[in-house]
Amino acid sequence: MGAAAGAFPSRRLQPPDTVPARDHLRVAPDARRRRLRARLLMVGIAFLTVASLFTLVGFRVVGAQSAFTLDRLTKQRTNEQLRYERLREDVARRSSPAAIISAARGLGMVDAPRQEFIWAPKAASQGTTPSATPAPLAPTSYENAKQALDQNP
């Protein structure tokens, strides 16, 4: 035994609680978990890509609809401008002196035997200003106006 003991170094078994700590060693991660995370990441990226494409298409559709609305409103505005011009021409034609005279004759009115012009007095000079409050009415002015209006209904 002596020779055999010298040939093999003696190994002493250490109790489990005295095993030296190996902090740099870790358990290898589970391959299934890694594959699951990769799949979830790929599904998430694919979902975001599809959602982004649908959002982009949605914006394009809204833009196209807005363009159609804008075209319709532009045409409507042009039509209304043309209608406005036609109405202005009609008003100008109907309010011309010749049109007013013919309409008056159509209602049975006749020309006046003579024409008179009324001349208004000149305005007061800027140095004199009339009083800010008007003069009070005479007590009989209301009665006079009422009698004048009653005679000519």
Side-chain angles (χ1 to χ4, degrees):
M1 209 172 7
F8 297 106
S10 71
R11 283 193 172 176
R12 288 189 267 161
L13 293 177
Q14 297 174 349
D17 51 324
T18 61
V19 175
R22 299 177 195 166
D23 293 333
H24 65 283
L25 298 179
R26 288 182 279 163
V27 177
D30 190 10
R32 287 182 295 178
R33 254 192 195 162
R34 215 173 2 167
R35 278 189 236 129
L36 178 63
R37 284 185 192 152
R39 283 184 193 140
L40 288 176
L41 180 66
M42 292 306 292
V43 167
I45 291 173
F47 178 76
L48 284 175
T49 302
V50 170
S52 298
L53 289 175
F54 274 113
T55 304
L56 181 64
V57 168
F59 281 131
R60 298 281 299 209
V61 166
V62 169
Q65 287 175 344
S66 298
F68 284 128
T69 303
L70 183 63
D71 287 342
R72 181 179 51 82
L73 290 175
T74 301
K75 287 178 185 177
Q76 186 178 359
R77 185 192 66 182
T78 303
N79 290 339
E80 292 300 322
Q81 284 176 339
L82 292 172
R83 181 175 171 262
Y84 174 73
E85 291 298 323
R86 284 193 306 268
L87 290 174
R88 283 187 60 143
E89 286 178 21
D90 190 32
V91 167
R93 192 172 34 258
R94 289 182 183 195
S95 62
S96 70
I100 291 174
I101 290 171
S102 69
R105 286 184 180 150
L107 292 173
M109 295 184 177
V110 295
D111 291 335
R114 66 184 171 98
Q115 295 177 352
E116 291 185 31
F117 293 97
I118 301 174
W119 298 98
K122 291 185 178 181
S125 66
Q126 290 186 1
T128 61
T129 58
S131 70
T133 58
L137 295 175
T140 59
S141 63
Y142 175 74
E143 292 298 325
N144 293 340
K146 187 175 176 182
Q147 289 175 358
L149 290 174
D150 284 341
Q151 293 172 1
N152 298 321

